[in-house]
Amino acid sequence: MNLPDPSALAERAHSALARCGAEWPTGNLTARTPITGTEIRTLEQHSADDVNGAVAAAHDAFGDWRTVPAPIRGAVVRQLGRLLSEHKTDLAELVTLEAGKISSEALGEVQEMIDICEFAVGLSRQLYGRTMPSERPGHRLMETWHPIGVVGVISAFNFPVAVWSWNTAIALVCGDTVVWKPSETTPLTALACHTLLRRALADCDAPRGVHQLVIGGRDVGAALVDNPQVALVSATGSVRMGREVAPRVAARFGRSLLELGGNNGAVVTPSADLDLAVRGIVFSAAGTAGQRCTSLRRLIVHESIADELVARISAAYAQLQVGNPFDDGVLVGPLINDAAFEAMQSALTAAQSSGGTVVCGGERVGDTGCYVRPALVRMPKQSEIMHTETFAPILYVVTYNEFDDAIALHNAVPQGLSSSIFTLDQREAERFLAADGSDCGIANVNIGTSGAEIGGAFGGEKDTGGGRESGSDAWKAYMRRATNTINYSDQLPLAQGVEFG
């Protein structure tokens, strides 16, 4: 495997940051690249006191920002979108360097930021409330939506910029201010995006304090979660992390928006177009080296087609080129670190202990970085290891006979993010989307589990946390609702016919 010189990667990162105008003091936080497992540069990280200062500054800025008309707030997001487009290549290069995504996926992630900016600009003129009929003559009922305050965003390494943009673009047009804590694994992408947003704010004469960046580990995240001036904590990460965040935010009566584990499944029925299914399955399972929250991890296949489908997937896996994500033709880049590889090996061992057979993959590639071939595992039944999400490219295959059994197998895990079914039978497709079908927040027909568009609300149920980000009416999570009663008569009738006096 041909990997670049580590010093060349460091230089690429420095150049991309410089083109974005980013500057940050050096310190004791080391930014590494999974491409070679080596250091890119060091950065200064924040303390808990720094976090509280950033929240205070954002809270002060909120006092002015909330009174700016929403379409004017949208102009800031429009300018951010322009700057993201201008620096699309630079940002994608940083995503590849820090997260290990192949170039097309990195460019796609930056495009997702541009798309959500366009969505949010339109939303800035559509923060609608309802008008309802009153039971009292001469009265009108209506609802209005107002900014909620400071939004704390905690993002994960696997989508280092897209998830931030989902939250930030929507929060800004809603009139909120933002404090962002990125993964300490991907601080450089965060620094570049923060710099571009600060520039957009300055270009539009908006307060600089509207957006704050805090870099550090769990202590920095804890300070953000516990700060009473943070009205909403939007956190993306593991179920373990969510179980810590949710009660701490609730204890101070704050709001939380959680995007946690996936462990997604797909059902393949006898009527499925297998050519289509194989393409959707392979990208969903092996794309981003299996490190998406929407990655496909469980395949539930009708027993009549299981052997053929497994053979086709195995053949497709054999053609996947694993290596330097900057190289043309490479489809699978590195895992984020050695811990991810060790978790993958532990999961494969557990699967084999439960009677599973590794059809292909699972072995490490090369001795630099953390590259691995996607694994395909045939399981006799859905065992305990399949109920646990492993953030690595493992695809478990189990079979079913009756369609009801397929639904039961699919829904038997604690997580409920994304799901799909491959079928040409309309009844099966509609059943999968019905109330007694998939229990996930995302349910697809004849496409894989990954690759969500920004127009729809993104999020899941059960251990996934229940939050919704991005499109549809997800904006309501970032605002507070007020119900208003207006009496335009000269009488004062009481509701429910109550008489007093």
Side-chain angles (χ1 to χ4, degrees):
M1 183 166 51
N2 182 32
L3 295 180
D5 182 83
S7 62
L9 293 177
E11 180 56 36
R12 291 182 76 160
H14 294 162
S15 297
L17 283 169
R19 289 191 295 270
C20 292
E23 296 180 1
W24 197 267
T26 58
N28 59 356
L29 177 66
T30 301
R32 297 183 178 276
T33 174
I35 296 173
T36 55
T38 53
E39 178 182 318
I40 301 176
R41 62 167 290 180
T42 62
L43 294 90
E44 180 184 27
Q45 59 181 327
H46 290 103
S47 66
D49 287 341
D50 294 328
V51 174
N52 292 333
V55 171
H59 187 265
D60 288 345
F62 172 67
D64 294 327
W65 185 242
R66 64 185 171 183
T67 64
V68 174
I72 305 302
R73 300 193 296 252
V76 172
V77 177
R78 181 187 296 113
Q79 179 62 5
L80 173 62
R82 289 173 181 157
L83 292 173
L84 294 174
S85 296
E86 180 183 333
H87 292 279
K88 182 175 180 178
T89 302
D90 298 325
L91 292 168
E93 186 152 295
L94 289 170
V95 169
T96 296
L97 284 164
E98 284 198 300
K101 290 188 175 182
I102 63 174
S103 295
S104 66
E105 287 193 76
L107 287 165
E109 180 167 354
V110 180
Q111 184 61 47
E112 197 165 353
M113 289 201 290
I114 297 166
D115 292 346
I116 197 64
C117 285
E118 291 181 355
F119 179 91
V121 171
L123 180 65
S124 69
R125 294 181 181 270
Q126 301 177 72
L127 300 174
Y128 299 135
R130 291 190 176 99
T131 298
M132 292 79 73
S134 172
E135 67 185 59
R136 290 170 283 184
H139 286 61
R140 177 164 62 90
L141 281 173
M142 61 179 283
E143 65 181 20
T144 50
W145 291 86
H146 303 291
I148 190 175
V150 179
V151 174
V153 178
I154 300 174
S155 58
F157 80 87
N158 60 328
F159 277 87
V161 292
V163 173
W164 163 76
S165 69
W166 292 353
N167 285 276
T168 300
I170 303 300
L172 291 182
V173 300
C174 287
D176 301 321
T177 56
V178 176
V179 180
W180 179 22
K181 183 222 168 292
S183 167
E184 59 269 36
T185 309
T186 55
L188 301 183
T189 51
L191 178 56
C193 290
H194 174 65
T195 300
L196 294 177
L197 178 50
R198 294 287 285 265
R199 184 169 148 196
L201 289 164
D203 290 344
C204 298
D205 295 321
R208 287 173 60 89
V210 163
H211 189 266
Q212 304 285 329
L213 175 66
V214 290
I215 291 177
R218 293 186 64 178
D219 58 331
V220 169
L224 190 60
V225 165
D226 293 336
N227 193 299
Q229 288 186 317
V230 178
L232 169 68
V233 175
S234 177
T236 301
S238 66
V239 174
R240 176 201 57 76
M241 181 270 287
R243 293 192 193 284
E244 292 183 18
V245 169
R248 291 170 71 159
V249 175
R252 58 176 180 81
F253 297 107
R255 298 188 193 179
S256 58
L257 193 166
L258 302 175
E259 299 288 358
L260 309 175
N263 202 16
N264 313 291
V267 175
V268 186
T269 75
S271 71
D273 178 337
L274 292 189
D275 290 335
L276 183 73
V278 168
R279 292 199 300 273
I281 289 164
V282 171
F283 173 69
S284 292
T288 325
Q291 296 173 119
R292 292 186 178 215
C293 53
T294 53
S295 289
L296 178 60
R297 311 199 185 280
R298 298 176 300 121
L299 198 58
I300 302 159
V301 188
H302 192 272
E303 58 187 17
S304 66
I305 59 170
D307 291 343
E308 180 183 358
L309 183 59
V310 167
R312 287 194 182 203
I313 296 171
S314 181
Y317 271 22
Q319 299 175 42
L320 294 177
Q321 188 172 338
V322 179
N324 178 7
F326 281 118
D327 285 350
D328 292 338
V330 168
L331 295 176
V332 181
L335 293 175
I336 191 66
N337 52 33
D338 285 336
F341 176 74
E342 291 165 4
M344 180 178 182
Q345 298 309 301
S346 295
L348 291 174
T349 298
Q352 290 171 307
S353 297
S354 299
T357 301
V358 178
V359 177
C360 63
E363 67 272 18
R364 196 161 187 161
V365 179
D367 53 9
T368 302
C370 193
Y371 296 84
V372 65
R373 295 197 181 280
L376 182 63
V377 184
R378 194 80 180 259
M379 299 293 292
K381 61 180 180 178
Q382 185 158 276
S383 62
E384 183 62 30
I385 187 60
M386 293 178 65
H387 288 233
T388 303
E389 181 183 37
T390 301
F391 228 56
I394 302 176
L395 179 60
Y396 304 104
V397 182
V398 293
T399 60
Y400 76 93
N401 186 25
E402 299 296 329
F403 191 69
D404 282 349
D405 295 334
I407 297 293
L409 284 168
H410 178 275
N411 293 346
V413 299
Q415 307 86 357
L417 177 53
S418 187
S419 61
S420 67
I421 185 170
F422 290 91
T423 181
L424 298 181
D425 185 319
Q426 184 178 1
R427 287 180 175 176
E428 290 175 336
E430 294 292 344
R431 168 70 190 285
F432 190 75
L433 303 180
D436 59 346
S438 167
D439 63 359
C440 294
I442 300 169
N444 300 327
V445 176
N446 291 327
I447 63 171
T449 56
S450 61
E453 299 179 32
I454 59 93
F458 181 91
E461 302 301 322
K462 303 191 293 187
D463 279 5
T464 301
R468 293 296 185 274
E469 297 171 323
S470 191
S472 185
D473 65 349
W475 61 270
K476 293 179 178 179
Y478 304 86
M479 303 196 82
R480 61 179 179 86
R481 182 191 337 227
T483 300
N484 313 127
T485 304
I486 299 136
N487 179 4
Y488 57 90
S489 74
D490 59 0
Q491 302 297 311
L492 195 63
L494 300 177
Q496 293 86 46
V498 173
E499 294 185 5
F500 190 79

